[in-house]
Amino acid sequence: MAELPLLRSYALDRWFAAAGPAPEVHSAVTGAPIARVSAAGLDVAAMATHARRVGGRALRRLSFHERAGLLKKLAVHLGEHKPALYALSTDTGATKTDSWIDIDGGIGTLFAYASKGRRELPASTFLLDGPVEGLSKHGTFVGRHILTSLRGVAVHINAFNFPVWGLLEKLGPALLAGVPVIAKPATATAPLAEALARLIAESGILPAGAFQFVAGSVGDLLDHLTGQDVVSFTGSAATAAALQRHPKIAEQSVRFVAERDSLNASILGPDAVPGTPEFDLFVKGVVAEMTVKAGQKCTAIRRALVPADLVEPVGAAIAERLARIRIGHPGLETTKMGALASLAQRRDVLAQVEKLKTEADVICGEGAFAVDGADADRGAFLAPILLRARDAASARLVHAVEAFGPVSTLLGYRDLDEAIDLVHRGEGSLVASLVTHDPQVARDVVLGIAASHGRILVLDRDCAGESTGHGSPLPQLVHGGPGRAGGGEEMGGIRGVHHHMQRTALQGSPALLTAIGASWIKGAPEIIDEVHPFRMTFGELELGRSFRSKPRVVTLEDIEHFAHFTGDTFYAHMDEEAVKGHPFFPGRVAHGYLLLAFAAGLFVEPARGPVLANYGLDELRFLKPVQPGEAIEVRLTVKSKNPRNADYGEVRWDVEITSGGETCATYDLLTMNAHSA
């Protein structure tokens, strides 16, 4: 008999094979051993050092745009090799749909972060965070915040249920932030994770040291962490607590992101009675969350809260749909639910169900069940189990025990106040969903439960067709939750990048902070000469390059013509009597948009040149009204520059409209400027 393959670790840019005994990994479908896994003898201290000195240094040299480019290349590469990953995913018990969520979902998350990095981040290696803060009377001393990459390593400890998505959703934000990664998968699904790691490592896309992988135990890796490192963990509350108590994590204040046990709830609104679309959506959602990935999702619905008088019809409807679920070999097209990740996982789920049965009765799921194309005993198969709490008000274990499998419990509530209270008894969850078509119910419940949740789905007939569902974390939104859920956050768009960066407050003169942040601050030197800035290419423009206009008097005729031409005849511009005693206006005043139009006329260079387009304004504020007969002037200053492609880049201009030495309006003007004339 051939020896089982040994899963290897990727350390110091080469593959490492452990010597000696190695525990077996078994197929979730057949129970047969499929691989061995061990990291015995792996020098994890050297891995951490290599990540910091080699990987981190290389990543920090790259701009956000360049890092985003790497993520996109990696996503494309993985997409080209999906069939190999799908083939291995079957042994984890995952159906084709389950694998699509894991594999395509993970690759899609990389694409999302590549896109966000290119569109939302600058072509630099740091971020400015928030506006400039004035710290002195005359503006010579100012402050602002800056975000820079941590100079450590991100240690990612992943769960068994999503071996691909779990690795990639952590990898994307870390690499985009410029922080190298050491990834450690759960043993039960390590063969699939190792195949993913091979595709990443052997693609040659990432810089040396940017990605390392541990197949097996991380040993004493945590002993070698520093305050510049990040640990991101997905798994049980017990393991998370043990990791958080590690002396180095406490001593060095190591950033610790946990995503762990979560007793997620779904609430059926009192308006969603049988016969309404919302009733059917609720039943469908509970069944989906019980059966997709065989209920092995940290976001699955564990508690289904319904009005007390609807417990019977809801229970019957869910049970009827569950009875139609085909359980079987995940490779079969007819299979709707595959196996749990391991026999050990099945034993654990059944043990937790026994605890729940002290407070709840089983509605369906106990007894013999059919398995298509596989042996129900050898494989880790389990029929979906729906329970009903005998007394929701006094139940305790229902809100404390998570059976991490195809298990959910129905609880009846008397009114919305009780429903909100029952949800909070979960002591913090990743996600809750509310199914209702009543706006007031939606408002009351969301505001009532938001403090205990990282995400809330409000589902009704209007959004159901495009909704991604209760259990689907998205890269644009925060994945995490307070309390029992771990208190951490992952993804959340660019927020996930910020988790791997240090926020630092800067104080100094406008000139020095302009130089540091590559963003011009009012009070810093200006560059003014006879060449109009609009005649200069993207590369020729310097921060602080300014244009100051001649004055233009705003006449009453101008105001009235603009009013009739645009249709904006608001009384403050047209009726002297109506504006008497006004708290803001001393009399008839010019339209704010008239000032913007006149300002453009004062600073625009009309001939064709490097300025290709004006595509918007940011931070527009009208600060002082302008009356007929008063003159305005405009200052236009290059505030920041951001290359977009080989042909053009974005220029952000600081614009100030003044009258009589006082500021009337401020805004940022955005233009696209060519690299060549």
Side-chain angles (χ1 to χ4, degrees), residues 9 15 42 88 147 152 160 173 242 282 320 331 333 345-346 352 358 370 388 405 434 457 569 579 590 595:
S9 298
W15 290 100
L42 185 62
L88 289 171
L147 289 162
F160 67 82
F282 180 83
E320 190 274 330
E333 291 293 334
Q345 181 62 20
R346 183 173 68 180
Q352 302 308 313
T358 63
R388 171 183 175 175
L434 168 66
L457 166 67
T569 55
V579 84
L595 300 183

Side-chain angles (χ1 to χ4, degrees), residues 13 74 104 135 216 246 263 268 290 302 304 308 317 371 436 443 449 472 478 547 565 572 582 675:
D13 304 312
L74 187 58
D104 286 80
L135 303 176
H246 191 281
L263 278 300
L268 181 67
M290 291 179 69
R302 305 300 178 198
V371 175
T436 182
R443 176 181 172 83
I449 69 173
S472 300
V478 164
F547 172 82
F565 184 70
H582 196 281
H675 289 299

Side-chain angles (χ1 to χ4, degrees), residues 436-515:
T436 182
H437 198 52
D438 186 322
Q440 191 59 50
V441 169
R443 176 181 172 83
D444 290 346
V445 173
V446 167
L447 296 183
I449 69 173
S452 289
H453 294 85
R455 175 169 61 90
I456 300 174
L457 166 67
V458 185
L459 185 65
D460 69 358
R461 67 195 72 175
D462 298 330
C463 69
E466 294 187 310
S467 169
T468 52
H470 169 104
S472 300
L474 298 172
Q476 300 90 337
L477 301 177
V478 164
H479 178 51
R484 188 194 302 275
E489 290 185 359
E490 294 178 340
M491 299 192 297
I494 299 303
R495 294 174 185 85
V497 178
H498 292 179
H499 296 330
H500 298 81
M501 306 185 80
Q502 175 60 42
R503 180 178 290 104
T504 304
L506 303 181
Q507 298 169 285
S509 69
L512 290 182
L513 294 198
T514 291

Side-chain angles (χ1 to χ4, degrees), residues 461-629:
R461 67 195 72 175
D462 298 330
C463 69
E466 294 187 310
S467 169
T468 52
H470 169 104
S472 300
L474 298 172
Q476 300 90 337
L477 301 177
V478 164
H479 178 51
R484 188 194 302 275
E489 290 185 359
E490 294 178 340
M491 299 192 297
I494 299 303
R495 294 174 185 85
V497 178
H498 292 179
H499 296 330
H500 298 81
M501 306 185 80
Q502 175 60 42
R503 180 178 290 104
T504 304
L506 303 181
Q507 298 169 285
S509 69
L512 290 182
L513 294 198
T514 291
I516 294 168
S519 179
W520 185 82
I521 297 171
K522 185 178 179 180
E526 297 177 46
I527 305 168
I528 303 176
D529 56 32
E530 67 278 3
V531 181
H532 194 291
F534 279 17
R535 305 307 306 169
M536 306 180 79
T537 65
F538 182 86
E540 292 170 335
L541 286 171
E542 309 133 290
L543 296 183
R545 169 70 64 171
S546 294
F547 172 82
R548 289 183 176 268
S549 76
K550 296 177 180 179
R552 172 169 180 168
V553 175
V554 180
T555 67
L556 186 60
E557 291 76 13
D558 291 331
I559 295 172
E560 293 184 343
H561 174 75
F562 188 84
H564 293 302
F565 184 70
T566 62
D568 180 359
T569 55
F570 185 63
Y571 72 89
H573 312 305
M574 304 300 292
D575 191 334
E576 190 73 39
E577 189 66 28
V579 84
K580 284 183 178 178
H582 196 281
F584 303 135
F585 307 128
R588 291 178 68 178
V589 298
H591 306 69
Y593 296 110
L594 170 61
L595 300 183
L596 295 185
F598 278 4
L602 289 171
F603 65 65
V604 163
E605 173 68 21
R608 178 166 179 164
V611 176
L612 303 176
N614 162 3
Y615 79 103
L617 307 177
D618 282 347
E619 307 296 331
L620 172 63
R621 293 292 183 273
F622 296 115
L623 304 174
K624 175 185 176 299
V626 174
Q627 293 187 273

Side-chain angles (χ1 to χ4, degrees), residues 347-483:
R347 288 192 295 271
D348 181 72
V349 171
L350 291 173
Q352 302 308 313
V353 169
E354 288 303 310
K355 295 178 184 177
L356 293 174
K357 285 165 65 175
T358 63
E359 297 179 346
D361 298 317
V362 174
I363 295 176
C364 68
E366 282 195 315
F369 58 94
V371 175
D372 297 339
D375 189 304
D377 294 323
R378 290 174 182 250
F381 295 96
L382 181 66
I385 299 173
L386 179 67
L387 302 101
R388 171 183 175 175
R390 299 185 196 102
D391 182 358
S394 63
R396 182 181 61 84
L397 294 178
V398 166
H399 307 292
V401 172
E402 181 181 24
F404 199 74
V407 181
S408 189
T409 303
L410 275 175
L411 299 97
Y413 67 83
R414 295 187 305 271
D415 52 35
L416 287 183
D417 286 339
E418 184 178 48
I420 291 169
D421 174 68
L422 291 173
V423 171
H424 279 295
R425 292 188 195 180
E427 297 183 347
S429 300
L430 297 170
V431 57
S433 56
L434 168 66
V435 187
T436 182
H437 198 52
D438 186 322
Q440 191 59 50
V441 169
R443 176 181 172 83
D444 290 346
V445 173
V446 167
L447 296 183
I449 69 173
S452 289
H453 294 85
R455 175 169 61 90
I456 300 174
L457 166 67
V458 185
L459 185 65
D460 69 358
R461 67 195 72 175
D462 298 330
C463 69
E466 294 187 310
S467 169
T468 52
H470 169 104
S472 300
L474 298 172
Q476 300 90 337
L477 301 177
V478 164
H479 178 51

Side-chain angles (χ1 to χ4, degrees), residues 17 44 87 124 144 163 170 244 252 406 495 554 569 624 629 647:
V44 291
S124 66
R144 77 177 319 164
K170 291 180 173 69
Q244 284 180 297
Q252 295 290 328
R495 294 174 185 85
V554 180
T569 55
K624 175 185 176 299
D647 298 319

